Amino acid sequence: MKITEVNLVENTTQPLGLNPISMKKIGNMVLLAGKNGSGKTRLLNLIQNQAQNIQNEISQRSNVKSNFDSYSLHIKNLPVNKQKLEENISNFEIQIENFKQQIISQPQNKQRLEYEIQNYKNNINEWKRQIENQPKQKEEWEKEIARFEKLLKAPIPIILENNQQNVAVVDFVPNRIELEDWSVRSKQDWMNIANQATTVGVSNLYHSTIPLIQKVMETWFNSTHPMANISQSEKDTAVTNYARLQSIIKSFIGTEIGWNKDGYSTLFGKPIAQAQLSAGQRVLLQLCVAIFAQGGSLENYIIFMDEPENHLHPSAVIDLLDTIREHNPNGQIWIATHSIPLLSHFETSSLWFVENGTVKHSGKKPELVLRSLLGDEDRIQKLRDFTSLPSELARNRFTFECLCPPQVVETDSSDPQSVQLNEQLKIIWNNKTSINLLDFGAGKGRMIANLSDYPTVSKETLNYH
């Protein structure tokens, strides 16, 4: 599922300080790039809200069309209704005259007849009021019809793929960094909290991350215990979940979850809640749990992420987005960002430039985004110089070495030649306290520099020349 068009009119955008928005030919990845204050976050939130409200929008338009037809029919029927009312008034006036004659001929019925006359007069007055009110009623209906026409002519703000009306939207940036410790709760409580991690989104992750990890680890530990009395399928599921969670965490955090003697899941040798994780590590751990617990249900979701690079280094953000895309092949990701490494990772066709509340596609002109984020051409050139620095240094060094006499290559004790020499020296050292070694060639002391790193080599054991 994805958004294929965004059409936001002035009445919708102006309260947020944005200009009317028109976005077409939108792909599976949308990068809203711009500097701080450009409006990218406001735009992202507005599109998310409009997407969530699309069903109400379609329903409202259907009601407007129905009312439009109804009011048009009322206006068309006004002359006919007026004629009927005038006929009713004329008939009732005749009937009133008949009642008056009956009063003369039947004085004993005077009270009843006068009551009937008053009722007929009341009806006549009501019909005259309706006739008098018709021009005003017509004017009000015409105003409503004009308003309906304007609403119906306005483009639908969000158009979904295949004209779908139901959309699954999720905000995928953790709203809290701190992780709650499961150990202060009863086992039943934290097991229930762990299950909340399967709900699509990240709103509950700050308190369900550690419980879910604990649940997976404890289930795996108990299932693989020699005395465990469980079915093979249950054991296989526990082992598979354990391996998948470890793989995800290893790829993002760089280490695996451990298990201590007290039954706590650990990171870097400490219970997770006491591991003194950085803000970025805590965010990554939440997202690892989300991918683990929701990976199978992320498909077909439209995911919104506001500046996912906050608290995360560039490679972690890129790995995260690639993993989400892998689990959401038929969905769509919207990102508001000013991270140049993130922007450079995806195709330029995904790039939309936000500036002064206006958005435009920058797929063919990514330099607009670069200039907005960095400033003038001099700063852009410095970035180019920096990113090309490794290749520039390698090229310059190669050129220099080609023009100058060869230099000694600096190595260490892991150098294969040094290892081989040390192994041979161990054989020669057998039953000797010291040996003499003559080193000749172009090494200029490279061997002794490496041999000195071995604990067996000293001035007393090796007489080096």
Side-chain angles (χ1 to χ4, degrees):
M1 176 182 295
K2 68 179 181 178
I3 297 171
T4 57
E5 283 190 32
V6 175
N7 303 292
L8 302 178
V9 297
E10 186 175 7
N11 289 344
T12 303
T13 60
Q14 188 178 40
L16 297 174
L18 300 172
N19 295 318
I21 302 298
S22 177
M23 301 174 67
K24 302 183 186 301
K25 298 181 179 179
I26 302 171
N28 287 7
M29 173 68 70
V30 183
L31 301 171
L32 301 175
K35 59 186 180 182
N36 291 335
S38 62
K40 61 183 183 299
T41 296
R42 283 171 282 155
L43 175 60
L44 184 76
N45 293 336
L46 178 59
I47 292 174
Q48 180 176 350
N49 291 335
Q50 290 291 325
Q52 291 172 316
N53 195 49
I54 188 62
Q55 192 170 16
N56 291 335
E57 174 73 22
I58 299 298
S59 177
Q60 182 182 7
R61 284 173 178 264
S62 177
N63 292 335
V64 165
K65 181 64 170 62
S66 176
N67 290 334
F68 176 90
D69 295 339
S70 176
Y71 287 0
S72 297
L73 183 62
H74 287 333
I75 292 176
K76 180 180 179 181
N77 291 335
L78 278 177
V80 176
N81 292 337
K82 180 180 179 182
Q83 184 178 356
K84 288 181 179 179
L85 291 173
E86 288 174 341
E87 290 176 356
N88 290 339
I89 290 173
S90 177
N91 291 334
F92 271 42
E93 286 176 342
I94 292 173
Q95 189 62 40
I96 288 174
E97 291 300 320
N98 291 336
F99 286 152
K100 288 180 179 180
Q101 293 299 322
Q102 291 179 31
I103 290 174
I104 296 173
S105 62
Q106 303 173 20
Q108 68 276 15
N109 296 327
K110 178 180 178 181
Q111 185 175 0
R112 179 180 62 80
L113 292 170
E114 286 180 343
Y115 179 78
E116 292 293 337
I117 289 173
Q118 187 59 48
N119 285 338
Y120 274 52
K121 285 182 176 180
N122 290 340
N123 285 326
I124 290 173
N125 290 335
E126 174 59 24
W127 290 332
K128 286 182 178 180
R129 188 191 65 78
Q130 291 181 20
I131 293 174
E132 291 174 356
N133 195 47
Q134 275 191 351
K136 183 178 179 181
Q137 183 68 70
K138 180 182 178 182
E139 182 180 356
E140 290 177 356
W141 285 339
E142 287 174 341
K143 286 182 179 180
E144 284 298 293
I145 287 174
R147 186 173 69 86
F148 293 157
E149 286 180 333
K150 186 176 180 180
L151 287 173
L152 292 173
K153 288 180 180 179
I156 297 176
I158 300 294
I159 298 179
L160 300 175
E161 191 175 30
N162 300 323
N163 294 319
Q164 297 181 61
Q165 296 184 18
N166 294 319
V167 59
V169 173
V170 60
D171 191 343
F172 212 73
V173 174
N175 51 8
R176 291 182 61 173
I177 297 176
E178 296 300 328
L179 301 176
E180 288 189 4
D181 187 2
W182 65 268
S183 62
V184 298
R185 298 177 178 269
S186 67
K187 183 168 184 176
Q188 185 62 42
D189 282 346
W190 69 256
M191 290 285 278
N192 291 334
I193 292 173
N195 295 332
Q196 294 179 12
T198 60
T199 302
V200 174
V202 294
S203 59
N204 295 319
L205 287 179
Y206 70 95
H207 67 257
S208 61
T209 290
I210 299 181
L212 182 128
I213 293 173
Q214 179 68 20
K215 179 181 178 181
V216 172
M217 295 295 292
E218 186 170 306
T219 302
W220 163 79
F221 184 83
N222 293 334
S223 300
T224 55
H225 194 279
M227 298 181 65
N229 184 21
I230 63 172
S231 66
Q232 186 61 42
S233 63
E234 289 176 316
K235 180 178 179 179
D236 292 343
T237 299
V239 171
T240 300
N241 287 339
Y242 167 81
R244 190 162 70 90
L245 179 63
Q246 291 285 30
S247 175
I248 294 171
I249 291 176
K250 180 67 179 292
S251 65
F252 284 101
I253 307 295
T255 188
E256 293 185 343
I257 300 295
W259 186 257
N260 67 13
K261 61 183 180 62
D262 297 320
Y264 285 86
S265 50
T266 64
L267 262 179
F268 307 110
K270 296 181 179 179
I272 299 176
Q274 303 168 20
Q276 297 181 334
L277 303 177
S278 68
Q281 289 172 323
R282 293 195 295 271
V283 170
L284 280 176
L285 200 60
Q286 291 184 61
L287 295 176
C288 286
V289 166
I291 291 171
F292 169 82
Q294 305 168 28
S297 58
L298 281 179
E299 188 174 358
N300 286 321
Y301 273 81
I302 299 178
I303 295 173
F304 287 83
M305 307 181 77
D306 184 17
E307 298 185 1
E309 67 270 18
N310 288 346
H311 308 295
L312 300 177
H313 55 280
S315 64
V317 177
I318 292 171
D319 289 343
L320 169 66
L321 293 175
D322 284 344
T323 303
I324 292 174
R325 292 175 74 190
E326 178 185 348
H327 289 287
N328 189 27
N330 300 319
Q332 190 177 49
I333 303 176
W334 287 71
I335 302 173
T337 183
H338 44 57
S339 167
I340 293 176
L342 191 156
L343 296 173
S344 67
H345 180 68
F346 298 100
E347 296 180 3
T348 55
S349 60
S350 305
L351 188 58
W352 294 78
F353 177 43
V354 184
E355 185 177 39
N356 297 326
T358 299
V359 62
K360 52 187 174 183
H361 190 240
S362 297
K364 295 182 179 180
K365 295 183 178 180
E367 67 273 9
L368 293 177
V369 177
L370 201 57
R371 190 173 294 112
S372 170
L373 296 178
L374 289 179
D376 56 26
E377 189 63 33
D378 181 58
R379 294 180 180 177
I380 295 176
Q381 185 58 48
K382 288 181 178 179
L383 176 63
R384 294 194 187 104
D385 292 342
F386 181 76
T387 54
S388 64
L389 193 57
S391 59
E392 291 286 346
L393 286 175
R395 183 176 63 191
N396 292 340
R397 182 171 182 176
F398 175 76
T399 303
F400 172 79
E401 290 177 348
C402 288
L403 298 175
C404 298
Q407 300 295 314
V408 175
V409 178
E410 295 182 4
T411 60
D412 56 25
S413 57
S414 63
D415 175 74
Q417 286 184 332
S418 300
V419 173
Q420 185 181 28
L421 178 58
N422 186 54
E423 292 301 318
Q424 291 299 316
L425 290 177
K426 286 181 181 179
I427 298 174
I428 300 172
W429 261 313
N430 189 29
N431 298 324
K432 295 182 180 180
T433 57
S434 177
I435 60 175
N436 299 319
L437 176 64
L438 174 63
D439 180 10
F440 63 94
K444 295 185 178 179
R446 176 171 67 90
M447 284 298 179
I448 190 61
N450 293 346
L451 289 173
S452 64
D453 290 337
Y454 295 111
T456 54
V457 176
S458 66
K459 292 181 180 180
E460 290 75 24
T461 60
L462 186 64
N463 184 21
Y464 178 88
H465 296 275

